[in-house]
Amino acid sequence: MQKNKFNLVRIFFFCLVLSLVVLGAWFFHSIFTLIIISLLFAYLLNPLVSWMERKHLPRALSIIIVYVVILLLIALAGVSFIPRFVGQMQELAVGIRKFIIQNSDIEVVRADSLELFIAGYQLPEDEIIKPPCKFVPIFEVEKFVMEMEGQALIAADSLQNFIHHNTRIKLRETENISDFIIRSDLDKFIKENASSKAILTGVSDSVSTLSSPFMGRLESQFAVIEKKIPFVDFASIIDDVADYLVRSTTRIPELVLNFLGSFLMIISFAVTIPIIGFFLLLDHDKIKNYIIRLVPNRYFELFINLLEKIDQIIGTYLRAMMIEILAVSALTSTVLGLIGVKYGLIIGVLAGLANAIPYFGPWFALLAAFTSVLLTGKPLIMLLYVFIGMQIVQFIDNSFNYPIVIGRNTEMHPLVIMLTVIAGGFVFGLLGMLLSVPILFLVRGIVSELYQNLKEFDII
Amino acid sequence: MGLFNKLFDKETDHANLTKEEYYFLRNISFLKKLHRLELKLFSKLLNKRVFQPGEYIFKQGYPVAVLYMIKEGKIEIVLEKKDNVVILTSLDKYCFFGEPALFVETQRTASARAAVKSTLYAVSKKDFQEFIATHPKIGGKILFELGKRLSQMVIDTNQRFWDAQSELEELHSARSAEPSDGEEDAKKQV
């Protein structure tokens, strides 16, 4: 039997180990997310790799084959799917702005001049739809964001011009300061991003030729309004708006840099996760054995049992969920495309993701489709077609997929799901709304399994 | 400080199949048809556990999850009835127990505890099933041997049942007071 030795050396040794553990945790905390994502990555691919191994391929080779297949799929998506998706996104962004301006309270702007105005901002369409090589789409996205921000910058600039020309509004002091801020920042930004300079100047050229008649018209309309309603203080309103615009425009370089930073991070993640995943996949039984070795005898069988059950719960759920998202996205996109709804691809992907939320997700997607139909001014009978089409998709999903995903768990009350979605939205935003219900399902499944096993093994 | 022992000791590390382990595995009845490479593959499933004297491996009523093979030591299979403990049998080196774990989901019908310090190798049901799916040929050999052992157990049990029944009949004919009732009861009890 082991004796309990409580001498100083012993205590010192354990303190040392504890501090090393704390130090290690601190050292690795920044890549904690990376490790979790890599684990998830390896976990999702493991069945595929094991399946290939069962066909008498060496495990390392199986992993490489799976990687190559995934890369090919991504490349295929990059060539065919993503450009179309981005194109629709851009169309949507322009459409929304058009809608907002068309329906705003100021009746100054005639639709025709506005369309001309927007046309100046739009990118040539062939540039987006047909990329020259498969790696272009990523840069296409980047360029798209840059364009959008460039447009906002130019819009703010032209408004500044408008204020500048309007002598009746006395803004000299603020104008000078804001002009100074915007110039210096813009110059710095352009110097730093030489590549984006061309885009910015190109857009600004096209806009400056278009904006002057528009601005003139706006100016005269303001004058008319002020004559009609003398007590409205336009000067201060414009002042506020300009102030807000200046404040937001000065942040654009920072936003772009942030975006570039996160872009680099995504690239580094995309490289490191497969590498970590490779080793996790290669040695997964050694890693598992090592962890099991550390479990005390009393909890050994419990641990083995739990590993098996939890693996079953999470694995079934995640795989079924992935299939469901893909299936519903594809089905919805196809149905909406057949009906002729605009932005069908985006709404389809949205519907697939939203489908993770039981009861409410499908209605959310339906709402998005309806909005698209109404916004684009399609015939109203299309609403009925969309409704029927989405119901058919739901029927297919409910009869084939849903029983696998949720079948094992008992149903949850709609109120619980609604509250979870709302809480998820408050804490983690849109992503939280999508992920909170699946996480709730998994946590519930795991905890109930844990409880049952602890009970059976006489631990609680 | 079991955790530290396990973290830093080489004793429980079995990444490679040592000669000693190889001879041990060769002596397990359901593995005896496997050659060296196949044993090496199978050895990846093993979890080495060391039990102190008197420590329970599992208790009656726990869910079955794992099969154990005895590398060293002595294991007692005990039946616990309220106050008294009945030792059903004791198992030595190269014996294995808990094999129902590999086939059915049920509960342990008896408890197992270490009589002396014992080293066991454990194989979980899921690993075993995956191994058979991955290596059907080796799996076939193992399952055949396990089937042999289970059949032998059924034959033995049947034999003991008939022996017991004939013994009972002899007792009845000796008494001959209430023959039919007693026989029915005895059958039910068995």
Side-chain angles (χ1 to χ4, degrees):
Chain A
M1 284 296 285
Q2 225 174 328
K3 271 182 206 164
N4 273 330
K5 295 167 273 185
F6 272 106
N7 55 38
L8 270 175
V9 178
R10 194 180 156 88
I11 291 166
F12 180 74
F13 176 72
F14 288 127
C15 284
L16 182 79
V17 170
L18 191 72
S19 53
L20 277 177
V21 167
V22 172
L23 198 71
W26 171 80
F27 185 69
F28 285 109
H29 85 279
S30 51
I31 54 162
F32 190 67
T33 332
L34 190 73
I35 293 169
I36 294 290
I37 295 173
S38 305
L39 278 171
L40 206 67
F41 177 81
Y43 182 76
L44 282 174
L45 292 187
N46 190 39
L48 269 177
V49 173
S50 295
W51 178 79
M52 299 194 78
E53 199 188 14
R54 221 168 284 163
K55 306 279 169 211
H56 299 289
L57 284 169
R59 201 169 168 84
L61 186 67
S62 317
I63 300 170
I64 290 168
I65 291 172
V66 169
Y67 275 18
V68 168
V69 168
I70 288 173
L71 265 179
L72 282 177
L73 282 178
I74 290 174
L76 200 72
V79 169
S80 65
F81 175 73
I82 289 172
R84 238 191 276 169
F85 189 80
V86 170
Q88 283 199 2
M89 276 288 224
Q90 196 197 22
E91 247 179 82
L92 184 67
V94 173
I96 286 171
R97 197 195 302 157
K98 194 164 139 189
F99 179 78
I100 288 169
I101 298 174
Q102 264 176 358
N103 294 280
S104 60
D105 291 327
I106 311 164
E107 290 179 346
V108 206
V109 188
R110 292 267 78 87
D112 50 345
S113 74
L114 191 84
E115 236 142 53
L116 207 67
F117 179 64
I118 288 158
Y121 286 170
Q122 246 170 335
L123 285 176
E125 260 184 67
D126 51 339
E127 205 175 304
I128 288 143
I129 311 283
K130 291 172 205 131
C133 79
K134 61 185 170 189
F135 289 108
V136 163
I138 293 164
F139 299 110
E140 208 72 73
V141 177
E142 187 192 8
K143 208 164 119 193
F144 171 58
V145 172
M146 299 269 269
E147 292 280 14
M148 293 305 285
E149 274 157 357
Q151 283 171 25
L153 199 76
I154 299 305
D157 215 37
S158 50
L159 205 69
Q160 280 275 321
N161 270 341
F162 161 69
I163 295 160
H164 194 78
H165 291 310
N166 201 335
T167 43
R168 291 195 306 123
I169 300 161
K170 292 152 195 127
L171 273 172
R172 215 133 279 176
E173 297 92 325
T174 41
E175 179 201 317
N176 282 339
I177 293 164
S178 56
D179 208 49
F180 170 71
I181 292 169
I182 200 167
R183 288 285 159 221
S184 62
D185 262 302
L186 196 63
D187 284 350
K188 213 168 88 189
F189 172 59
I190 287 170
K191 261 177 219 158
E192 278 166 4
N193 298 275
S195 64
S196 60
K197 197 177 168 182
I199 304 166
L200 281 174
T201 47
V203 176
S204 89
D205 278 345
S206 64
V207 167
S208 58
T209 50
L210 275 162
S211 58
S212 48
F214 165 70
M215 285 303 162
R217 218 187 261 211
L218 199 67
E219 202 178 326
S220 64
Q221 288 292 334
F222 271 132
V224 171
I225 292 169
E226 209 161 319
K227 215 177 273 172
K228 276 182 185 164
I229 319 161
F231 44 83
V232 173
D233 189 5
F234 256 107
S236 73
I237 292 172
I238 297 279
D239 191 11
D240 283 351
V241 171
D243 203 44
Y244 172 75
L245 277 171
V246 165
R247 259 189 286 125
S248 36
T249 24
T250 47
R251 270 181 49 229
I252 284 172
E254 184 194 331
L255 283 177
V256 171
L257 286 183
N258 275 350
F259 175 77
L260 285 177
S262 57
F263 186 72
L264 282 178
M265 205 175 80
I266 287 167
I267 291 283
S268 70
F269 262 46
V271 174
T272 37
I273 287 171
I275 294 172
I276 300 172
F278 181 83
F279 288 109
L280 289 177
L281 281 168
L282 192 65
D283 280 338
H284 86 295
D285 42 327
K286 258 186 214 164
I287 296 165
K288 199 174 125 190
N289 260 332
Y290 189 79
I291 294 167
I292 289 174
R293 241 170 66 193
L294 303 177
V295 178
N297 283 337
R298 174 76 179 92
Y299 305 105
F300 169 64
E301 286 199 4
L302 168 85
F303 191 75
I304 293 233
N305 236 11
L306 273 179
L307 267 187
E308 195 178 307
K309 296 272 167 59
I310 289 172
D311 174 52
Q312 203 184 349
I313 292 174
I314 297 180
T316 318
Y317 192 85
L318 283 185
R319 272 159 224 145
M321 199 52 105
M322 250 169 40
I323 292 168
E324 188 175 19
I325 286 173
L326 285 177
V328 171
S329 298
L331 279 173
T332 312
S333 303
T334 316
V335 165
L336 292 181
L338 285 176
I339 295 171
V341 178
K342 231 178 170 186
Y343 319 124
L345 212 53
I346 297 175
I347 296 168
V349 171
L350 200 74
L353 291 173
N355 215 58
I357 306 165
Y359 306 115
F360 303 106
W363 298 105
F364 180 63
L366 191 67
L367 204 71
F370 277 4
T371 315
S372 162
V373 170
L374 292 174
L375 266 181
T376 50
K378 293 272 168 66
L380 285 182
I381 188 71
M382 209 176 248
L383 293 181
L384 187 68
Y385 297 155
V386 167
F387 183 78
I388 294 168
M390 299 281 253
Q391 289 310 308
I392 291 170
V393 173
Q394 278 306 307
F395 175 74
I396 294 170
D397 176 50
N398 282 344
S399 33
F400 294 109
N401 227 324
Y402 200 74
I404 309 168
V405 183
I406 313 294
R408 270 175 54 85
N409 300 330
T410 44
E411 294 284 331
M412 268 187 173
H413 196 273
L415 185 68
V416 176
I417 287 173
M418 194 173 78
L419 291 176
T420 310
V421 171
I422 293 169
F426 269 118
V427 182
F428 296 115
L430 198 65
L431 203 65
M433 288 174 88
L434 277 176
L435 293 181
S436 55
V437 172
I439 288 173
L440 180 73
F441 267 118
L442 288 181
V443 167
R444 205 185 64 142
I446 290 167
V447 169
S448 77
E449 198 60 56
L450 187 67
Y451 173 74
Q452 203 182 324
N453 271 281
L454 286 172
K455 251 315 211 232
E456 282 176 341
F457 280 99
D458 258 350
I459 289 164
I460 53 170
Chain B
M1 283 301 122
L3 189 68
F4 278 96
N5 281 341
K6 282 171 192 158
L7 258 177
F8 301 120
D9 257 18
K10 283 279 163 206
E11 193 196 334
T12 46
D13 197 352
H14 60 270
N16 295 310
L17 188 67
T18 61
K19 211 164 200 174
E20 196 195 348
E21 275 176 332
Y22 171 66
Y23 283 118
F24 160 69
L25 288 174
R26 280 299 299 268
N27 278 304
I28 303 289
S29 69
F30 68 89
L31 296 175
K32 67 184 175 197
K33 290 278 167 66
L34 271 57
H35 53 74
R36 197 185 169 92
L37 197 74
E38 292 173 335
L39 279 179
K40 196 173 176 180
L41 284 172
F42 187 79
S43 74
K44 281 183 186 168
L45 314 185
L46 301 178
N47 292 287
K48 191 173 179 174
R49 315 295 305 181
V50 179
F51 290 88
Q52 300 302 325
E55 195 176 358
Y56 276 92
I57 292 114
F58 51 77
K59 284 190 179 171
Q60 214 169 314
Y62 285 6
V64 293
V66 179
L67 161 113
Y68 292 96
M69 295 170 265
I70 305 170
K71 172 132 191 284
E72 255 160 52
K74 194 174 179 183
I75 303 295
E76 289 169 337
I77 306 294
V78 289
L79 205 60
E80 286 166 334
K81 280 179 189 166
K82 281 171 191 169
D83 293 329
N84 60 327
V85 176
V86 186
I87 298 175
L88 291 179
T89 175
S90 69
L91 304 167
D92 291 318
K93 207 173 173 179
Y94 305 136
C95 287
F96 63 96
F97 57 100
E99 72 275 9
L102 303 179
F103 301 107
V104 285
E105 248 181 71
T106 162
Q107 290 170 340
R108 300 284 187 196
T109 47
S111 306
R113 71 176 182 209
V116 294
K117 188 181 174 184
S118 312
T119 310
L120 308 180
Y121 280 121
V123 180
S124 82
K125 179 165 96 184
K126 193 180 172 240
D127 286 346
F128 186 76
Q129 285 173 347
E130 269 177 13
F131 182 77
I132 289 173
T134 318
H135 309 286
K137 212 176 144 193
I138 312 173
K141 286 187 197 175
I142 296 172
L143 286 176
F144 188 76
E145 291 302 320
L146 276 171
K148 251 192 197 168
R149 146 127 169 176
L150 290 171
S151 310
Q152 195 56 51
M153 275 167 83
V154 170
I155 291 166
D156 287 355
T157 314
N158 270 348
Q159 193 56 51
R160 270 156 76 183
F161 175 73
W162 292 121
D163 286 353
Q165 205 175 36
S166 53
E167 207 175 308
L168 208 68
E169 268 169 18
E170 272 169 34
L171 278 171
H172 274 299
S173 55
R175 271 214 225 158
S176 73
E178 58 279 308
S180 58
D181 271 16
E183 197 174 312
E184 286 294 301
D185 279 358
K187 258 186 186 171
K188 269 179 196 165
Q189 269 180 3
V190 171

